[in-house]
Amino acid sequence: MLNIVLIEPEIPNNTGNIGRLCVGTESRLHLIHPFGFEINDKNLKRSGLDYWVHLDWKEYQSVAEWKAQIPDLSRVFLMSSHAEKSYLEQEFQKGDWLVFGKESVGLSEEVLNQFQNHLKIPISEYVRSYNLANSVTFLIGEAKRQIAIKK
């Protein structure tokens, strides 16, 4: 199982789509407050469809609360457009934590400074960033591919 972490997600449709992706890939979703929406938001439910009831998810009031329950901080990977290393160069394994920031600004320096592993998704110079749900899809797809090969 992979752990997908959204720190301060702002757009309910993205979180709903990511929730559906987590159900389909048997990944656990971790949501860290504050959110830009309510969990009962109709847009979240519309994007997550009827899959939300099957979602394995947890919510936390702060990064510190979430971080305190991680057994191995070396398996936490933060996504940042400023990272040097591509996610395509990383060897993933079951139980890894893939961490994404809020849609408008990504992860804060404060959060980035708490973890050693920063990864980027390669992108054309003509595009500033990918949609959050698409970014999560890239990472889950590659991690699941690698994990399947190791079986």
Side-chain angles (χ1 to χ4, degrees):
M1 172 182 292
L2 292 169
N3 292 286
I4 306 305
V5 182
L6 304 182
I7 296 180
E8 300 181 12
E10 299 170 312
I11 302 174
N13 298 30
N14 282 335
T15 302
N17 282 318
I18 293 165
R20 182 177 3 170
L21 179 64
C22 286
V23 171
T25 60
E26 299 178 328
S27 301
R28 178 175 291 144
L29 180 61
H30 302 263
L31 301 173
I32 301 175
H33 284 273
F35 307 155
F37 54 87
E38 298 292 326
I39 289 296
N40 62 3
D41 188 295
K42 66 179 179 174
N43 293 316
L44 175 74
K45 296 218 188 273
R46 182 170 48 235
S47 298
L49 298 174
D50 54 346
Y51 304 112
W52 195 261
V53 297
H54 303 290
L55 179 62
D56 181 357
W57 70 287
K58 295 183 178 185
E59 65 182 300
Y60 307 88
Q61 295 305 310
S62 68
V63 170
E65 179 186 348
W66 161 69
K67 186 178 176 184
Q69 54 84 50
I70 298 171
D72 181 359
L73 294 178
S74 74
R75 301 310 307 171
V76 177
F77 301 95
L78 282 68
M79 301 307 126
S80 170
S81 60
H82 304 293
E84 300 279 327
K85 184 177 180 180
S86 167
Y87 79 102
L88 297 168
E89 301 171 61
Q90 179 61 48
E91 288 188 32
F92 295 104
Q93 57 189 255
K94 288 180 184 177
D96 280 351
W97 300 80
L98 309 178
V99 183
F100 301 83
K102 58 182 161 183
E103 291 89 340
S104 62
V105 295
L107 294 166
S108 69
E109 286 297 319
E110 177 186 346
V111 171
L112 288 167
N113 291 335
Q114 293 182 52
F115 299 90
Q116 64 184 8
N117 298 318
H118 300 177
L119 302 173
K120 67 179 176 182
I121 299 171
I123 192 167
S124 160
E125 64 183 87
Y126 304 109
V127 177
R128 184 176 57 253
S129 64
Y130 290 114
N131 170 277
L132 179 61
N134 292 338
S135 296
V136 173
T137 303
F138 278 120
L139 270 292
I140 287 180
E142 177 60 16
K144 294 288 277 188
R145 183 192 70 79
Q146 288 183 21
I147 292 166
I149 289 171
K150 295 174 187 174
K151 284 184 177 178

